[in-house]
Every structure is written in C-alpha cells, then in structure tokens.
Amino acid sequence: MSGTIVDRRALLLGMGAVGLDLALGRRAARAAVPPPRFAPLRFVYADNVVPFSYADADGNATGLLKDDVDVVTATAGYSQTTSLMPWGRAQATVRAGQADGFCTVPSADRAVYVQFCLQPVMTSDIGIWHRRDDDRFKAIGSLEELAAFRLGSYVGNGWATEHMDAIPTLAVVPDPVSVLKMVAAGRIDAFVHDELQMGYLARAAGLTGALTYAPRPFLGTVVRTLAIRRSLPDCAAVVAALDAAILARRTDLDALTHRVRLGMA
C-alpha cells in the first residue's frame, strides 16, 4: 500500500473526530479572503501506485488520487500542477517546501510539516485476499491467528511493515500483483491489503476467478486525505477551503471511487 495504514480509531489522527462540523465551521470563519479563481497548488504523487497515481502514455500524472484532487481543488478555487516521483522523495519535496501538498494517510510524522484536511477523500476496508476454495479465513479475528498462515507482502507496503514485520515467514516480493499471483497459485495462503487497490489489480491480472476478499474489522481501514504544507502562506485557509469542497463534492468523489471498484481507472 502506498503510505502507512491507520485503523478506524485513528481515522482523523488527533484532528478532532468529535465536533467535526463545529471544527469546520470555526476553521472556515478564520479563513482569509477566498483565493483567486484557480490559484495553483503543486501536488506530488507516488509514481507507480496503480490505480491511485501513475504515468499515462504521455508521462503525465493520472489515477484516482489525481482525479479526486482535480475535483476538490477546482471546487475550492484552485488548480493543481502535478509531479510523479518515488513516494519517499515526494514527501521530502513537500517537507522542503518545493511542493505544496499530497493525498495520503494521516500520520503523526507527516502532521509535523503538513496540515491534513478533516474530511477524507476516500476510505477502503483492509481485508484478507485468499483463494476462493479456502474457507479458513472467515473466522479469523486477530493478527495472532493470521500469523499462523503463509502470508505474503511487497516492498513498500506500509501496513505490513508496521503490523507484520515480526512474522518470520512473511514472503516479501517486489510488487503487489506478484503477491496476488502467489496466492492464486497456492504458494502462500493469504495477502492482507485493502479492497480497492487489490480488487482493481486482481481484475486487471485476470485473477478474480481464483481469488476472493474477506474484510475483517480488526484490520482497520485505509483513509486517504489531502494535506497541505504548513509553511504555505494561509495554509489553514487553504485547508478549510479544501475541506468545504470535499463535503460539497462527496457524491462525485464517491462516484470516482466506484468506477475503480468496477475496474475502470
């Protein structure tokens, strides 16, 4: 997964889950004069995380995250310029003030140098990908139980790094599609990941006949949220405008996510 994954209890990561609407109202009241129409914001994206962010045939940024940010920024009175790069460098670019924001999972480390919107752009459950003829995962209720199986992951999977790094039998390969193929071939038993990204990749690889997905509440949820660097002038006003735009365009954002669930990037 791109970025670290948080569970439902960390959904807003210290940003005030209680009284959300009141917080938005107070933030909007403090906002500065609205920006000039389509004032530019520089967003950076991970360079190869299909279907969220990747390069099109001309080398330009595309994917669900970019589409979501286009909707939100335009509604808030901004435009976005986009750059693709390895995820670690993308975060460092925002930290250094060479870009203005990204869309990712809130974390305490990132919150030091960016201000996250209160409203998530999208959420998706984390679950267990396994073979359709394997019924052993329906009653799994903890990571400890899951650790008894042959599990797989890929380089850069933040959730697995945080929660499964101590499992000595975890098979780690370069990319997520390879993990799905390992499950389908019976080389491993299961793969823990979110439904949205892996569902898209499984369809593209022709693996949906062999694999199925079991959401498990104890595994949590992937929450992706817009973030703006704190060093940007009027950062709080920008975030307030983006939050209001997310609320106003929720139906459209959900429709974009639904397209990905159907296999349409």
Side-chain angles (χ1 to χ4, degrees):
M1 303 173 204
S2 62
T4 306
I5 306 307
V6 294
D7 61 27
R8 290 184 177 85
R9 291 169 297 177
L11 179 62
L12 296 175
L13 201 68
M15 288 181 279
V18 177
L20 175 60
D21 292 334
L22 290 175
L24 282 174
R26 288 194 299 270
R27 183 184 287 178
R30 294 194 303 266
V33 175
R37 193 64 179 162
F38 303 123
L41 291 171
R42 301 168 297 170
F43 275 83
V44 288
Y45 298 90
D47 56 0
N48 189 25
V49 185
V50 178
F52 297 120
S53 59
Y54 55 99
D56 64 15
D58 298 319
N60 299 313
T62 190
L64 177 58
L65 290 182
K66 193 262 183 185
D67 291 346
D68 281 339
V69 177
D70 275 338
V71 169
V72 174
T73 52
T75 303
Y78 298 93
S79 62
Q80 69 159 325
T81 63
T82 60
S83 299
L84 290 170
M85 58 190 70
W87 181 232
R89 181 150 61 91
Q91 294 174 89
T93 299
V94 173
R95 189 185 300 112
Q98 298 166 350
D100 299 320
F102 44 53
C103 185
T104 190
V105 176
S107 71
D109 290 344
R110 296 178 185 127
V112 170
Y113 62 93
V114 297
Q115 182 171 335
F116 282 97
C117 287
L118 296 175
Q119 291 289 322
V121 169
M122 74 181 79
T123 62
S124 57
D125 289 335
I126 305 173
I128 304 170
W129 287 89
H130 60 90
R131 290 182 301 283
R132 287 189 178 276
D133 60 359
D134 189 346
D135 294 328
R136 294 176 294 170
F137 298 95
K138 293 180 179 179
I140 294 292
S142 69
L143 281 174
E144 289 74 20
E145 293 178 44
L146 195 56
F149 294 90
R150 297 174 301 163
L151 304 175
S153 184
Y154 61 91
V155 176
N157 183 348
W159 191 94
T161 299
E162 180 177 353
H163 296 282
M164 303 174 69
D165 216 27
I167 299 176
T169 57
L170 182 70
V172 180
V173 297
D175 64 273
V177 175
S178 295
V179 188
L180 292 171
K181 290 179 177 178
M182 290 170 68
V183 177
R187 294 172 55 197
I188 57 176
D189 299 318
F191 176 26
V192 177
H193 211 285
D194 80 294
E195 170 264 340
L196 188 60
Q197 183 183 12
M198 289 308 115
Y200 184 92
L201 294 178
R203 282 187 293 273
L207 296 173
T208 52
L211 300 178
T212 190
Y213 164 82
R216 304 302 301 149
F218 73 91
L219 293 172
T221 302
V222 184
V223 180
R224 292 181 173 89
T225 304
L226 288 178
I228 299 297
R229 63 180 171 93
R230 294 184 181 275
S231 60
L232 183 73
D234 295 323
C235 169
V238 174
V239 172
L242 297 176
D243 256 325
I246 294 169
L247 283 171
R249 301 296 298 274
R250 173 60 63 197
T251 298
D252 300 305
L253 295 171
D254 289 346
L256 288 171
T257 300
H258 185 61
R259 283 178 56 84
V260 170
R261 284 196 167 93
L262 296 176
M264 301 180 292

